[in-house]
Amino acid sequence: MASVETGSAPWTTPGDRRPGRPVWRLWAPVVVSFLVQVPATAVLALHGSFGPGAGASGWSRSSAVLLALAGVLCLLAARRSPGPTVAAVAVLSSASMLTGPTWGPPAVALAFAAGSGIVRGARGWTYPSLGLGWALALTVTLAVGWKVSGFRVGATTALVIVAVLLAEGLRTRREQLDADRRRQGERRASAAQEERVRIARELHDVVAHSLAQITVQAGMGLHLMDTQPERAREALTNIKGSSKASLDEVRGLLDVLRGADAAQDPTTGAPRRPGPDLEALPVLVQSLRDQGVDAVLELRLVSTPGAAVQQALYRIAQESVTNVLRHARAGRVSVELVEVDGSYRLLVEDDGVGAPPGPAEHGNGLLGMTERAELLGGTLETGRSPLGGFRVTARVPVRGVA
């Protein structure tokens, strides 16, 4: 049974550093250089005149053809060793101009070698090789007095200059494209990281708030189970409602993780579970009242905030209430949301144990609230409340920048 080779394409060569590149890109410079240089040199070797450095012997005429052919064949190594290829072709081209026919074809192979060296990142080889090659030819010509073809020197110089300019432009363009791809990759990585942080923040807010409520209600239910079974039943009912709402929000976040299609209704395209907004604030405050806390809500808004602002303000209020339930041991909580001086100001304060002395310790909760406010161009401040407990003040511009 015949075996099938894998791992290489039929249009690539083993020495190609970029798998998948067509083989004609390697052979095209070789073929063009051969057609321009070798036949013309062979004809001139038979019928043309040679410079004083070569004489007109059979060996000299043969060596002219061999030098031209060797310079062409060196191009086969341009992909693996672009730098040494430029050096070798420069030496061979200089020798061919000094010892070859007085009137000969331009060294096209040198132009291809120079362009290939620059494109493949061998500038350190290319420019010194070209400079030393021309300096050697010029020095020998002036020192010994040999004559070379002015047409050949001028045409070769022009071809090399054009090849170098084209190669520099191509390499610059390639570097710009590589830089653009790197920046795009960095932006995608940054966006992915921001999305992970956002989801982690949402999960923290949902889980922390619901678990805090469940813990308080469960403790109340256990305490009242024997003496006030009705209130214990009410606590269990509240636990059921809180856990169901939290599960719904977690499912919504999981739908976002699965993709946009899972998070949208197939008929309307609207989110299956829209994020919380300011309409949920009364429910949040009522959850405090259900647990025996004297909670007050005050809303004074002139305009309707955007969805992102509403969700951020609600989550900040939710996290503040969660901290009250977990740490403050407060009997009174005030939640105030007003629009003043071109910004929305959310104030949550309690009469609990208050903030510890010194700067507030920024855990995940306070860090998440600060990030939400700053992402919308706002600020968040924490500290002691005039009521004796803790205060959270969030300010978000009316036209917040997300």
Side-chain angles (χ1 to χ4, degrees):
M1 188 173 183
S3 61
V4 179
E5 294 184 0
T6 60
S8 62
W11 292 97
T12 60
T13 60
D16 193 353
R17 291 185 177 180
R18 292 190 174 189
R21 293 187 65 178
V23 71
W24 65 265
R25 292 189 180 181
L26 172 64
W27 285 98
V30 178
V31 172
V32 172
S33 300
F34 178 86
L35 294 176
V36 172
Q37 291 184 222
V38 178
T41 303
V43 171
L44 292 171
L46 293 175
H47 306 288
S49 61
F50 278 63
S57 65
W59 168 247
S60 299
R61 296 180 184 275
S62 299
S63 65
V65 178
L66 292 176
L67 287 172
L69 181 60
V72 171
L73 294 179
C74 283
L75 294 178
L76 293 173
R79 286 185 179 175
R80 287 185 178 272
S81 305
T85 298
V86 180
V89 175
V91 170
L92 293 171
S93 298
S94 298
S96 178
M97 290 183 191
L98 291 173
T99 63
T102 304
W103 296 92
V108 180
L110 182 59
F112 279 121
S116 176
I118 291 174
V119 169
R120 292 184 170 88
R123 285 193 183 99
W125 282 82
T126 301
Y127 289 112
S129 298
L130 294 175
L132 290 175
W134 288 119
L136 175 63
L138 182 61
T139 300
V140 173
T141 300
L142 295 177
V144 182
W146 291 349
K147 293 182 179 180
V148 295
S149 171
F151 167 78
R152 191 176 188 185
V153 173
T156 301
T157 303
L159 284 175
V160 170
I161 291 175
V162 170
V164 167
L165 293 177
L166 290 176
E168 288 288 356
L170 180 60
R171 182 168 181 82
T172 300
R173 176 61 177 166
R174 183 178 294 175
E175 290 174 350
Q176 291 175 348
L177 292 176
D178 291 341
D180 290 341
R181 282 192 289 267
R182 284 194 299 270
R183 285 193 292 268
Q184 290 174 2
E186 292 171 357
R187 284 195 293 267
R188 284 194 294 269
S190 177
Q193 178 62 25
E194 290 177 1
E195 184 65 12
R196 285 193 291 269
V197 172
R198 185 189 70 81
I199 293 172
R201 191 164 53 233
E202 292 286 335
L203 284 173
H204 172 270
D205 291 346
V206 172
V207 174
H209 178 69
S210 61
L211 289 181
Q213 285 189 321
I214 290 172
T215 300
V216 173
Q217 294 285 349
M220 183 184 300
L222 289 174
H223 180 69
L224 301 175
M225 184 176 294
D226 297 329
T227 58
Q228 301 181 46
E230 289 301 324
R231 292 195 61 185
R233 181 188 299 273
E234 181 181 348
L236 292 175
T237 302
N238 291 334
I239 289 175
K240 179 181 178 181
S242 298
S243 59
K244 182 179 183 302
S246 299
L247 286 174
D248 287 341
E249 291 194 58
V250 171
R251 288 194 190 99
L253 290 174
L254 293 177
D255 286 341
V256 173
L257 289 175
R258 294 188 185 103
D261 294 338
Q264 293 180 350
D265 187 276
T267 56
T268 63
R272 293 181 184 271
R273 299 177 181 88
D277 53 24
L278 296 181
E279 292 183 359
L281 274 181
V283 179
L284 181 65
V285 174
Q286 183 60 43
S287 68
L288 285 172
R289 297 183 185 131
D290 293 339
Q291 296 172 62
V293 179
D294 181 15
V296 178
L297 173 63
E298 183 177 356
L299 295 174
R300 296 197 309 272
L301 298 179
V302 178
S303 60
T304 302
V309 175
Q310 291 197 41
Q311 184 173 1
L313 292 174
Y314 174 81
R315 289 302 191 194
I316 293 173
Q318 184 185 50
E319 179 62 26
S320 301
V321 168
T322 300
N323 291 335
V324 170
L325 293 174
R326 294 173 62 187
H327 308 298
R329 299 194 296 273
R332 181 186 177 194
V333 176
S334 172
V335 180
E336 178 186 274
L337 178 59
V338 299
E339 183 177 343
V340 57
D341 296 333
S343 64
Y344 302 109
R345 188 189 67 195
L346 174 66
L347 176 65
V348 181
E349 53 185 354
D350 61 78
D351 63 350
V353 296
E361 188 174 329
H362 280 65
N364 290 331
L366 289 178
L367 179 61
M369 290 192 292
T370 303
E371 289 176 347
R372 289 184 184 279
E374 291 179 349
L375 283 173
L376 295 169
T379 60
L380 186 129
E381 300 174 358
T382 58
R384 285 189 174 275
S385 166
L387 299 178
F390 196 67
R391 165 187 278 184
V392 175
T393 306
R395 291 181 176 84
V396 176
V398 172
R399 297 183 180 273
V401 179

